[in-house]
Amino acid sequence: MTASREATVGTMAVRRALPQRGRRTIGAWCFVDHFGPLRPAGAPPADIGPHPHCGLHTVTWLVAGEMRHRDSLGSDQTVRPGQLNLMTAGNGVAHAEEEVRHQSGPLHGVQLWVAQPAATRGGPAAFEHHPSPPRADLPGATATVLLGALGDARSAARTDTPLVGAELSFHGGRASVPLTGGFEHGVVVLGGEVHLGDVALVPGRLAYLAPGREELDLRGTPGTRALLIGGEPFPEALLMWWNFVARTREEMEAARAAWASRDARFGGVATSLGRIEAPGVPWRAA
Ligand code: MN
C-alpha cells in the first residue's frame, strides 16, 4: 500500500494516488486525483482554465458539488454526483472545468486518467456523458460501474483496453466484490474507512492488488465509499508529463509547441477562464 502525494491543481489541493514511484499504472489507469471535501474558508473556486490533453481519457466522478465541463469539441456538460463525464483526448483536445458555485457543499470527487493504447491514441477526440451508470448489488455493497463490467452490470462508456472502474458504496459488514482474474486492481477510499483484511484503508492511501484474484473481501461502515479501478497490466511504456500521455520526449515537445502556438490540434474552448500555458519541459528540449 502506498500513500498519496499532496499536489495542487489550479487552486485545489488534491491527493494524488497515481502515478507514484514504483507504481505508475493499474491497468491503463495512470492518474488518480482525489479532491475535497474539505476546503479552507474563503478559498477560491476550483476552476481550471482551458488546457490540452493527448493520449488519454479523463474520467470525472463527483461525490458532492457540481462541475461544468466545456471542451474544444463544443461539449458543455455539467456533471453531478452519480454521473460520469468521460473525455477521450486521442491526438488532442482542450477543455476547461468550472466549479458550479450555487452549490452549498464543497466540491468532492475524483478525476482519473486512462492511458490510450497505440491503436487509438492518435485518433479523434470524443466526449461522453453518462447520467446514470449501471449498478450492481453485491453482498454488502452497491457498485456503480463507471467503466467495464462488475457483477451483472456493464457500463456503456467507451473503453479502449480491458478495464474496470466502479464506485463501491458499503452497507456495513462484509462486502464481496467479484474481480477479473487477469486484472490488477487498486482501491482508493473516498470517504470513511474500509478494511481489507486487517489493513485499514483511509482517504489518501492506495491499495494495490496484483492479478490473480477472483474476489475481494472488504468491510466498510454504512455510507463509506471507495473507488475500485483495475485492468489488464498496460503493456506499453508511458511517458507522462503535464497534461500529456505519450511515448517519447519528441512527442511531448510537439504537443507542447502545438498548444503554445494555438494550433488547431487542440482547438479552443468557449469560456472566460484564462488559458493555462505549459511549463517548460524538465529535460533539455531537442
Ligand atoms: Mn484536464
Side-chain angles (χ1 to χ4, degrees):
M1 187 161 44
T2 57
S4 296
R5 304 184 274 129
E6 296 294 324
T8 306
V9 175
T11 59
M12 242 186 329
V14 299
R15 303 179 199 93
R16 185 153 296 161
L18 267 185
Q20 302 201 1
R21 195 167 296 140
R23 174 56 50 203
R24 309 299 297 179
T25 52
I26 295 177
W29 298 94
C30 61
F31 180 94
V32 179
D33 264 4
H34 177 201
F35 48 87
L38 301 176
R39 189 166 61 199
D47 295 343
I48 305 170
H51 60 280
H53 288 290
C54 63
L56 60 92
H57 311 272
T58 63
V59 173
T60 306
W61 180 253
L62 299 182
V63 176
E66 291 184 17
M67 289 285 277
R68 181 180 180 183
H69 161 98
R70 280 178 283 190
D71 64 36
S72 51
L73 300 164
S75 315
D76 183 350
Q77 179 66 58
T78 296
V79 63
R80 300 183 173 87
Q83 304 179 336
L84 170 68
N85 268 9
L86 173 66
M87 183 177 74
T88 298
N91 187 53
V93 75
H95 73 149
E97 294 159 295
E98 194 175 343
E99 183 176 0
V100 178
R101 261 167 275 177
H102 62 74
Q103 283 289 316
S104 50
L107 196 65
H108 180 202
V110 280
Q111 189 166 82
L112 307 100
W113 294 356
V114 175
Q116 290 184 254
T120 64
R121 72 187 188 93
F127 177 77
E128 297 176 13
H129 175 72
H130 297 271
S132 54
R135 294 182 171 202
D137 287 320
L138 308 175
T142 300
T144 305
V145 183
L146 314 184
L147 297 181
L150 191 76
D152 55 6
R154 172 170 291 279
S155 169
R158 169 176 169 171
T159 52
D160 291 9
T161 55
L163 279 184
V164 68
E167 186 196 65
L168 304 173
S169 175
F170 293 89
H171 304 328
R174 176 176 170 271
S176 178
V177 183
L179 301 180
T180 299
F183 286 7
E184 55 185 348
H185 292 88
V187 178
V188 179
V189 177
L190 300 178
E193 188 173 296
V194 174
H195 289 264
L196 170 59
D198 54 8
V199 177
L201 307 178
V202 293
R205 309 291 289 186
L206 171 73
Y208 173 77
L209 302 158
R213 282 175 176 257
E214 303 287 342
E215 187 180 52
L216 175 62
D217 281 344
L218 296 168
R219 279 179 297 117
T221 50
T224 298
R225 295 176 194 230
L227 203 67
L228 173 74
I229 58 174
E232 284 184 1
F234 197 73
E236 303 172 43
L238 300 176
L239 188 59
M240 292 177 63
W241 172 73
W242 197 44
N243 291 308
F244 305 134
V245 174
R247 302 295 185 272
T248 67
R249 290 177 173 181
E250 289 69 26
E251 287 179 10
M252 287 295 183
E253 287 158 21
R256 186 188 183 286
W259 180 245
S261 66
R262 300 177 183 240
D263 187 88
R265 174 175 172 184
F266 294 107
V269 185
T271 173
S272 59
L273 295 174
R275 194 174 188 273
I276 299 176
E277 299 301 337
V281 296
W283 57 85
R284 187 191 300 265

